[in-house]
Amino acid sequence: MTQRQNTPAPRNTADVVILGAGPAGLLLANLLHRNGVDCAVLERTTRAHVQTRARAGFLAPATVRTLERHGLADGLRRRGHRHGTCEFRTDDGRFRLDYATLGQGEQHTVYPQQDLVTDLLTHYLDAGGRIHFETEALAVPDPHSTRPTVTVRDADGRPDHWQARYVAGCDGRHGAARRSLPPGTARHHRDHGITWLGLLAQAPPSLDAVGYALHPHGFAGHMARTPHVTRYYLQYERGTPADAWTEDRIQHELDTRMRAADHGPLHHGPIVHRTVVDLESDVVQPLRHGSLLLAGDAASLISPSAAKGANLAVLEAELLADALTDTLAHGDRGALDRYSAQALTHIWRAQDFSLWMIRLLHAEPGPPHGESFFHESLRRSRLASLRTSRTHQDWFAENYVGV
Ligand code: RFL
């Protein structure tokens, strides 16, 4: 399926060819198009698929400000809701942090990623933007050329190619941009050795807080999505298929780990979506290779433990839009030269906090003495500090909502 702007551009050329119609690619496309930069988006899947792919939900205040600045926040202003509390549950009881009153005094906006993607796509098409669905980028064979090409498989399955001045790789961790990086490009990868079963339940949220439960069976998480849908996470054995557990078993584990008997029942409802997430971090460095620039998950993969991925994608897309506009509309390449270093500063800060969260939320595997005992003791100490130290709470709040 192809949708084109009113003034036809030469076939298969654009100053900026954007790979991928996720939050990164669509925000970039909106901003470039609005700035008068000729661009086109190539998306491997269908419009229906990108508009229904449920993933993130917690938007950072910086993300909301970016969308508001560019007049793209009407949907989230209408249907999103503010969120500023989290609750930790352990063997020692529970405690809450009203992070909206701590740190910089900021909070999240809960708005499902598929709704944000739908809003961005609608704005882009309404403004006459070009997007080609079911068009898979295969490679960018010559990223260091001043006229790079993108080889593609078009909607009819035929090989084709696009010509650009810049290619923005916003096509996620398995996309063509990453596959086209020159040999020897540094990729900093860490597998945290932990797996979550991510669930969407057709049930209203059970707490007015993000719930983090630390239990001998493993971690469980509770996050509101909409008044009728709740996201849950259960730590899960690596390699287990998503459909291995029955709904009864899932509900039993959620009740057990969230300690529903002590702290109040959970609303149960049908599980409408399941996904297995191996907690991994992966950063490409640098993010610019000649005419190929990476943003979003293509630039850095971050575990969902601190809800940073979509927020980084938005931040990088805005930086990249400014840099490409300066270059193409004003002949000033300074911001493009700085893009990688600037984005990586935010990426590493988010990776650091995400790793801190992973260590807080999960026990180290192993026998009850030695290393795992050491880790467990540190974990308890960290939680006690978070419960009692205002300074620690301020640090947590600032990093929790920040990107
Ligand atoms: P996306 O959203 O993956 O979009 C990439 C798009 O590229 C397309 N594509 C291609 N198109 C053309 N040619 C190719 N060869 C292509 N290969 C792929 C894909 O079809 C897709 O449409 O990447 P983007 O834009 O970088 O956005 C990143 C975010 O999606 C991701 O970081 C977040 O979802 C991570 N994440 C969360 N982030 C948050 O900030 N807050 C959260 O609460 C949060 N929760 C989550 C999450 C990720 C999760 N999973 C599934 C890993 C919860 C989960 C369960």
Side-chain angles (χ1 to χ4, degrees), residues 323-338:
L324 286 167
T325 303
D326 277 0
T327 304
L328 289 163
H330 311 300
D332 176 357
R333 291 169 201 276
L336 203 56
D337 292 341
R338 288 190 299 275

Side-chain angles (χ1 to χ4, degrees), residues 314-395:
V314 165
L315 182 143
E316 293 154 20
E318 191 189 33
L319 285 177
L320 190 52
D322 288 348
L324 286 167
T325 303
D326 277 0
T327 304
L328 289 163
H330 311 300
D332 176 357
R333 291 169 201 276
L336 203 56
D337 292 341
R338 288 190 299 275
Y339 166 69
S340 176
Q342 219 176 340
L344 283 163
T345 307
H346 294 272
I347 287 171
W348 283 114
R349 184 170 173 190
Q351 291 284 1
D352 182 32
F353 185 69
S354 179
L355 181 60
W356 183 90
M357 285 290 281
I358 289 172
R359 291 194 174 134
L360 184 76
L361 300 178
H362 305 91
E364 195 115 309
H369 303 291
E371 270 308 300
S372 61
F373 177 83
F374 192 85
H375 175 85
E376 195 49 33
S377 304
L378 292 180
R379 201 156 76 110
R380 279 175 185 274
S381 161
R382 205 175 289 149
L383 274 163
S385 167
L386 197 55
R387 182 161 43 81
T388 55
S389 159
R390 172 68 198 238
T391 308
H392 201 172
Q393 292 170 358
D394 284 332
W395 172 87

Side-chain angles (χ1 to χ4, degrees), residues 70-272:
H70 299 293
L72 298 167
D74 44 341
L76 72 86
R77 256 201 309 266
R78 269 201 315 276
R79 298 191 303 279
H81 59 274
R82 299 294 186 89
H83 198 290
T85 309
C86 59
E87 178 173 308
F88 292 89
R89 296 182 175 187
T90 72
D91 282 346
D92 301 327
R94 63 174 166 170
F95 69 92
R96 285 189 158 213
L97 292 181
D98 288 322
Y99 58 85
T101 64
L102 297 162
Q104 308 277 356
E106 296 191 304
Q107 51 193 326
H108 288 114
T109 298
V110 181
Y111 191 60
Q113 179 169 324
Q114 64 273 29
D115 293 355
L116 175 63
V117 163
T118 301
D119 295 349
L120 291 173
L121 186 55
T122 306
H123 276 283
Y124 181 59
L125 290 172
D126 287 352
R130 281 195 286 166
I131 181 162
H132 298 256
F133 289 103
E134 296 175 75
T135 299
E136 182 180 9
L138 300 175
V140 185
D142 48 358
H144 281 280
S145 154
T146 52
R147 298 293 300 178
T149 47
V150 181
T151 57
V152 304
R153 188 169 19 239
D154 73 12
D156 299 315
R158 284 189 302 251
D160 203 346
H161 69 276
W162 276 72
Q163 192 122 49
R165 289 174 70 186
Y166 291 97
V167 178
C170 304
D171 51 348
R173 71 178 298 201
H174 299 298
R178 277 199 170 204
R179 286 198 302 274
S180 305
L181 293 171
T185 303
R187 267 188 59 181
H188 305 284
H189 179 261
R190 179 170 293 191
D191 181 345
H192 303 291
I194 292 158
T195 297
W196 285 359
L197 177 62
L199 303 158
L200 286 173
Q202 194 90 51
S206 302
L207 322 178
D208 57 352
V210 178
Y212 294 116
L214 287 61
H215 190 274
H217 290 190
F219 165 73
H222 160 286
M223 279 139 221
R225 279 294 184 264
T226 71
H228 314 290
V229 174
T230 304
R231 184 174 277 296
Y232 285 105
Y233 292 113
L234 281 171
Q235 192 176 345
Y236 205 51
E237 182 135 3
R238 176 72 54 100
T240 311
D243 59 1
W245 287 13
T246 61
E247 292 207 7
D248 282 351
R249 181 166 181 195
I250 288 170
Q251 278 157 9
H252 178 72
E253 270 308 309
L254 286 170
D255 285 342
T256 305
R257 297 187 194 184
M258 298 289 298
R259 297 174 176 84
D262 298 331
H263 304 309
L266 302 177
H267 299 301
H268 291 311
I271 306 292
V272 291

